[in-house]
Amino acid sequence: MLPLTLLLAQVLFSQSLPASPAPVPEAGVAVEALNPKGEPLRNPKAEDFTVSEGGEPRQVLGVEPLGEAKPWRFVIYVDRVLSGTRTVRGAAGALAARSEDLVKMGTVEVIVAEPEPMVVLPPTRDPKAVDEALSRLLLTSDGRDDLRVARQRFAEELGEPTAPKGEDLAERVEEAVDFEARLIGTQQDLLLGWLAEQEKEEGPRALFLVSDGFDRDPAELYLSRISDAGARAALAPALAGYRLDTTVDEVARTTAELGWTALPMPVGDEKLPELRRWRVTPSEEVPIAVTVPLGKRKKKEPEAPPGPPLLLNPKEPLQRLAEATGGELLAGALAVPAAIARLRSRLWLRYESPLPVEARALEVRSAVAESKVKARQWTGPAIPQGIAAMRARRLLSGGDDFGELPVSSTWQDGVLEVRVETPEPVPGARLTLAIPAGAVGLTLSHRDLASAEVTEDGAWRVPVPEPEGERLVVMVEDPARALWGGEVVAVRTAEAADAEAAVGEPAADEASAGPARAAWAGKGVRIVRPASGKGTGPVDVEVELRLPPGRRLDRLELYWNDQLTATLYKPPFLRRVPIPPDRPVGTLKAVASLDDGSRVEDAVLMNSSVLGERVDVRLVELFVVVTDKAGKPVRGLSRGDFRLLQDGREQSIASFDEAGDFPLTLGLAMDSSASMFVKLPGVQVAAESLLRQGLSKKDSALLVDFDSEPRLLIGPTRDLAAVAGVVETLTADGGSDLFEAITFSLGQLRNIPGRKALVAYSDGVEEGEGGYRSCLRAARQSGIPVYLIVTNPQAARGEPVGSYAGQLDKLAAATGGKAYFVLPSQDLSQIYDEILRELRSQYLLAFYPKENGGEAWRSVDVEVRKPGFQARTLSGYEPEAAPRGPRRVGEGGR
């Protein structure tokens, strides 16, 4: 036992100790500080700077040079959709020449968006890997330049004898402006989405954005093409809603809030780099691009043909982005070295900053006379408002990313009921509501959700006045963990529901569209609205559920064409489902999962032909690729640009869509016969690159390995890394039967919903030729484009080929695919890239055949009403023996 005096001394000593100070919340920002001569400040100190957030001064805690303690994270983000070839290759060449400088300052990664962002090079400090990735872009990548191409096409239309006039011209202008605004909005949202997915770690981050930019007002150029002043004045108000000022500012502010310094690179006005400085040297692992010296003789490069008409002010949005983030616009390759040097000289400024709950203006100044400071101009919360707006737009457009938090909500009589089905309450949750406003705008509002406000049944009930629109996006955000969840809610008042119940009849538009469905007295699940099976755009879907005794509902899911659109947990089971007006025919399905694991479901075929009408109700869908004179895929065409024929007779196009962004299931069939012993490693590298870097996260893949017989190694999955891992395990042995492998692979793909394609590689050994006819028949019946990559030196050199190569060519052409004949040593990565570029440029045309009956082969042809363009699709199809009428699935549940 301690003596009393010692115990008393310990007590007094402990009471005299000061309490541990609470940690000071701090933030950091990369700043460029230059003296009057334009040189970096020497020996900078904390007192040399002042910082304010939202006008409130903040204490500067310290300043230090950037270096190994605070390395840069460099991201080279190549937007192929909004870039021309000169910009893509020029930016790649300029940055490749500075690979050594970049990796000395931090990590470098390369992302290519076409349109989905794909990782071409993960973060690395290996200059050789950076040089190789950028050299590939320099030598092989083309920009799509969709905006300029669309404007060029519009200008050509005006010069044709059949150019639109009057109301037709006004409609064509509005269609063109809408296309531009939505294309730009999509690319901006994809950029913000990628930035939002990155961890907001402390440290400097720079974004080299390779893009040619766009006009803030897409209508300006098109309106100038209307010579009639009265018609121009009448059309201008309808196009005012497409102005992108809000989008431009939102993207700039959000990028700054997320901590990025942006350096846009619209370098397309300069000549391409001297390509003879570069070559690709393949190795067993990866092809490496290296610099080789030029000789003294230098041939004059031919002048490039003039490009499409320039945009009016494309650099203005990029300049705003650079200013808001404290970066700079790099208009030419010569500006890159100096910009990198300025990034190297930046300082890391630490300052006191409470956790922000909203966007605040950030201002950094220097206390040193006549010196200049550049830094990002905004700071914000973990989930900025721009990210919330981006997610809302995606949900409204039918996107399938509902976030990590399972949110379920209903609105009725001015009250929004929100549930988050998580094991524990979400602390500090924020409710965000988004309502469509104008052509491309949104109105957002926010409200904190306190845990104490959760009712006994686990819901928040929030007063929300009836929105002006018909749809409301509800999102719940967890800022502390940067998690979110959301859904689209149909707004329906109690008066409307009572009126519908009182009438007891379908609405007039539904009644006129087709016969009402009979009353239901069974048990299970049934779709009771829309009663006619008709409707496009936002359609109110109502489901009736009658469960067996003792059973409880776990969840009710609504699907449109096998894509999940909503999840409901309690009545009323009412939700608005978006049905594309240009692709209205499809299956609406309701699936109820019960507490014992069982499921009951019901489905209805929407917008099919009316009963009794003599129409083949089998909707024939054609995936079409259009190429120009150079063989490059063409995007941005409209329905009117196509002419569709069956057996030589023109057909009406029932629906039309640009399908390149739809989820894709890619089948890979790879030859692993004994003759592949030398070639297999190179084939594996190319296939793995396609899986890991070419496909997007919404795509799926399956792998078939074949020698004497085919084998399914891994079925369709979105885990593309797993498929790539299986590719690595292939070994060469046995014989080879390509035709049987194609037939088998098509069988694996045939029953998978959605967009599909098969890519098969073989070393060209002519075995198993007896299966050609059955393989051709299977390929025609599948409707799946088949791309063949076959080693055949004679065909690759353009020499006469035998019957085997001709059969392969005919097989691919019959499906709308293509056969590639390659040399044994040829790098396949470029071919895989070309195939993927085609698949990203597909159109979807659908029609109801005018002629019915018969099982004979029906030839199909698609023409493009523009000179120099060639369409490619399947050569025909075999119809079913008898046409199908509208049918229901799972009547009364099952």
Side-chain angles (χ1 to χ4, degrees):
M1 180 176 293
L2 291 173
L4 181 59
T5 53
L6 183 57
L7 183 61
L8 181 60
Q10 282 188 338
V11 171
L12 293 175
F13 178 74
S14 63
Q15 291 178 346
S16 64
L17 288 176
S20 300
V24 178
E26 68 172 57
V29 59
V31 300
E32 177 186 296
L34 304 177
N35 63 22
K37 296 182 179 180
E39 301 170 342
L41 289 181
R42 296 184 178 180
N43 303 318
K45 301 177 290 297
E47 53 266 29
D48 294 337
F49 299 91
T50 62
V51 176
S52 66
E53 286 185 334
E56 299 180 9
R58 303 296 186 201
Q59 181 181 354
V60 178
L61 302 176
V63 61
E64 58 195 61
L66 293 174
E68 287 303 320
K70 279 284 185 292
W72 280 94
R73 178 188 177 186
F74 293 116
V75 171
I76 301 170
Y77 188 100
V78 181
D79 188 337
R80 274 183 173 165
V81 175
L82 298 182
S83 299
T85 298
R86 284 187 177 275
T87 288
V88 172
R89 297 190 179 184
L95 292 169
R98 297 291 162 178
S99 299
E100 293 278 356
D101 296 336
L102 292 172
V103 298
K104 287 179 181 177
M105 298 162 58
T107 62
V108 180
E109 55 198 293
V110 181
I111 310 296
V112 174
E114 191 193 2
E116 291 280 348
M118 298 173 289
V119 179
V120 172
L121 179 70
T124 181
R125 299 194 74 164
D126 180 357
K128 198 174 184 182
V130 176
D131 185 52
E132 183 272 331
L134 294 174
S135 297
R136 280 205 172 280
L137 288 175
L138 168 66
L139 293 170
T140 65
S141 285
D142 294 333
R144 285 175 28 179
D145 214 6
D146 282 11
L147 293 182
R148 287 191 176 94
V149 169
R151 292 191 174 186
Q152 175 69 52
R153 190 173 302 122
F154 180 83
E156 292 173 353
E157 286 181 8
L158 294 185
E160 294 177 354
T162 58
K165 308 292 183 184
E167 292 183 2
D168 291 339
L169 177 58
E171 183 179 346
R172 180 66 183 91
V173 166
E174 189 165 3
E175 178 184 292
V177 173
D178 179 81
F179 168 79
E180 283 202 17
R182 296 190 186 282
L183 176 71
I184 294 165
T186 297
Q187 294 309 113
Q188 299 294 284
D189 281 349
L190 288 171
L191 172 61
L192 289 183
W194 187 86
L195 294 176
E197 292 174 356
Q198 311 308 303
E199 293 185 8
K200 198 174 179 181
E201 71 274 6
E202 182 183 346
R205 298 189 284 180
L207 176 72
F208 289 96
L209 177 62
V210 180
S211 170
D212 279 322
F214 52 89
D215 287 330
R216 292 185 299 108
D217 185 2
E220 187 176 353
L221 178 136
Y222 292 98
L223 284 174
S224 68
R225 301 284 180 161
I226 300 178
S227 56
D228 188 324
R232 187 167 58 247
L235 183 59
L239 301 182
Y242 291 102
R243 287 188 63 90
L244 301 172
D245 298 82
T246 301
T247 299
V248 170
D249 292 337
E250 179 183 275
V251 171
R253 184 182 65 248
T254 304
T255 305
E257 289 180 63
L258 292 172
W260 291 88
T261 301
L263 296 95
M265 298 185 68
V267 300
D269 292 339
E270 293 195 345
K271 290 185 177 181
L272 287 174
E274 174 57 69
L275 298 184
R276 288 176 297 169
R277 294 178 179 270
W278 310 85
R279 62 183 174 90
V280 177
T281 307
S283 70
E284 293 185 0
E285 293 84 14
V286 289
I288 302 297
V290 297
T291 303
V292 296
L294 281 173
K296 293 183 179 180
R297 297 180 62 185
K298 184 176 181 180
K299 295 181 180 180
K300 184 179 179 181
E301 294 293 330
E303 289 293 329
L310 294 178
L311 302 172
L312 300 179
N313 299 291
K315 294 179 182 177
E316 187 174 345
L318 302 179
Q319 184 64 50
R320 288 199 189 186
L321 176 64
E323 291 173 357
T325 60
E328 58 182 295
L329 185 74
L330 307 182
L334 296 179
V336 173
I340 293 177
R342 284 189 286 272
L343 291 176
R344 185 188 303 113
S345 67
R346 288 207 177 195
L347 306 169
W348 185 250
L349 190 69
R350 296 182 295 107
Y351 64 95
E352 183 178 355
S353 174
L355 291 176
V357 295
E358 60 183 0
R360 294 187 295 216
L362 176 65
E363 187 175 14
V364 182
R365 292 187 176 185
S366 174
V368 180
E370 297 185 10
S371 61
K372 298 180 179 180
V373 174
K374 179 189 290 187
R376 57 187 172 91
Q377 299 174 358
W378 293 92
T379 184
I383 304 179
Q385 177 169 309
I387 298 301
M390 174 271 298
R391 289 167 174 165
R393 283 190 293 267
R394 285 189 174 184
L395 290 173
L396 285 169
S397 62
D400 58 357
D401 184 3
F402 300 97
E404 305 85 4
L405 300 178
V407 173
S408 174
S409 53
T410 56
W411 183 93
Q412 190 167 342
D413 292 339
V415 175
L416 179 70
E417 183 178 292
V418 183
R419 299 173 184 274
V420 181
E421 304 292 336
T422 54
E424 299 178 358
V426 180
R430 183 176 71 170
L431 174 67
T432 297
L433 305 180
I435 304 171
V440 293
L442 280 178
T443 300
L444 268 71
S445 60
H446 306 281
R447 182 186 189 278
D448 292 334
L449 296 174
S451 300
E453 294 179 325
V454 179
T455 59
E456 293 182 359
D457 58 353
W460 281 287
R461 289 183 174 85
V462 182
V464 176
E466 181 175 357
E468 293 183 2
E470 297 180 344
R471 295 183 295 166
L472 174 69
V473 178
V474 178
M475 292 184 290
V476 176
E477 300 164 341
D478 180 359
R481 296 178 294 172
L483 301 177
W484 76 285
E487 63 174 354
V488 181
V489 177
V491 177
R492 180 173 183 252
T493 63
E495 290 79 6
D498 294 339
E500 291 171 3
V503 174
E505 298 290 340
D509 58 339
E510 293 183 348
S512 61
R517 297 162 59 197
W520 177 55
K523 292 182 179 180
V525 61
R526 193 190 194 209
I527 300 171
V528 296
R529 292 180 63 201
S532 64
K534 300 288 183 181
T536 59
V539 173
D540 286 330
V541 177
E542 186 173 6
V543 178
E544 186 173 351
L545 182 65
R546 299 181 186 177
L547 300 179
R551 292 275 64 84
R552 183 176 59 83
L553 176 70
D554 179 58
R555 66 187 182 277
L556 176 70
E557 297 170 318
L558 298 179
Y559 293 84
W560 170 250
N561 285 341
D562 294 317
Q563 293 291 320
L564 180 66
T565 63
T567 302
L568 307 174
Y569 296 92
K570 72 169 194 174
F573 299 114
L574 173 71
R575 187 53 50 90
R576 186 155 290 176
V577 173
I579 296 180
D582 51 355
R583 297 185 64 227
V585 179
T587 303
L588 181 66
K589 183 168 64 174
V591 180
S593 299
L594 308 186
D595 56 348
D596 61 353
S598 62
R599 304 198 329 165
V600 289
E601 62 183 72
D602 183 29
V604 60
L605 185 63
M606 291 286 295
N607 300 307
S608 64
S609 298
V610 187
L611 282 171
E613 184 179 347
R614 302 297 295 173
V615 177
D616 184 348
V617 299
R618 177 189 178 185
L619 186 71
V620 179
E621 293 186 332
L622 305 175
F623 285 99
V624 182
V625 171
V626 179
T627 54
D628 59 18
K629 293 179 180 178
K632 295 181 179 179
V634 176
R635 294 192 64 160
L637 298 177
S638 63
R639 182 198 303 248
D641 294 325
F642 291 89
R643 183 168 179 255
L644 196 157
L645 302 98
Q646 177 181 285
D647 296 330
R649 297 182 178 89
E650 187 165 356
Q651 308 288 315
S652 298
I653 299 176
S655 65
F656 170 85
D657 212 334
E658 288 197 61
D661 300 337
F662 293 178
L664 171 71
T665 300
L666 185 68
L668 287 178
M670 299 182 62
D671 189 342
S672 61
S673 60
S675 58
M676 286 288 297
F677 180 76
V678 175
K679 297 184 282 290
L680 186 57
V683 178
Q684 288 170 306
V685 168
E688 290 174 37
S689 176
L690 172 71
L691 291 164
R692 297 183 187 275
Q693 302 172 10
L695 299 180
S696 70
K697 60 184 180 181
K698 65 183 179 183
D699 297 328
S700 304
L702 62 82
L703 176 64
V704 171
D705 157 52
F706 69 94
D707 41 43
S708 301
E709 60 182 23
R711 295 168 294 275
L712 178 66
L713 297 188
I714 184 169
T717 176
R718 286 188 179 182
D719 189 351
L720 302 176
V723 182
V726 177
V727 169
E728 295 177 356
T729 66
L730 297 181
T731 57
D733 192 18
S736 177
D737 192 336
L738 176 59
F739 292 132
E740 184 181 352
I742 294 172
T743 303
F744 176 83
S745 301
L746 292 173
Q748 303 301 316
L749 286 167
R750 189 164 186 174
N751 293 324
I752 298 173
R755 196 165 64 109
K756 297 163 285 191
L758 174 65
V759 178
Y761 175 86
S762 175
D763 67 351
V765 177
E766 302 180 27
E767 299 182 31
E769 287 189 65
Y772 167 68
R773 292 189 179 277
S774 61
C775 179
L776 178 61
R777 180 178 178 85
R780 284 174 164 177
Q781 290 176 338
S782 72
I784 299 171
V786 177
Y787 291 86
L788 302 175
I789 307 174
V790 181
T791 302
N792 189 309
Q794 289 78 23
R797 290 192 292 263
E799 300 173 2
V801 297
S803 61
Y804 181 65
Q807 289 174 338
L808 299 179
D809 221 348
K810 183 178 180 180
L811 175 66
T815 66
K818 190 175 180 180
Y820 296 85
F821 298 102
V822 299
L823 298 171
S825 60
Q826 189 168 338
D827 177 22
L828 303 182
S829 297
Q830 296 181 26
I831 295 176
Y832 278 122
D833 287 344
E834 182 177 331
I835 293 172
L836 190 59
R837 195 171 298 123
E838 278 204 1
L839 294 173
R840 296 294 186 216
S841 305
Q842 283 182 322
Y843 298 90
L844 177 59
L845 279 65
F847 71 102
Y848 293 105
K850 292 179 180 178
E851 292 73 31
N852 298 321
E855 300 182 19
W857 171 261
R858 297 180 183 178
S859 64
V860 173
D861 192 23
V862 176
E863 300 175 354
V864 184
R865 304 179 192 269
K866 293 184 178 295
F869 288 173
Q870 185 70 37
R872 202 170 72 238
T873 188
L874 55 87
S875 60
Y877 69 98
E878 292 181 358
E880 297 178 347
R884 295 178 297 174
R887 64 188 179 92
R888 292 183 48 76
V889 182
E891 187 77 42
R894 63 178 179 272

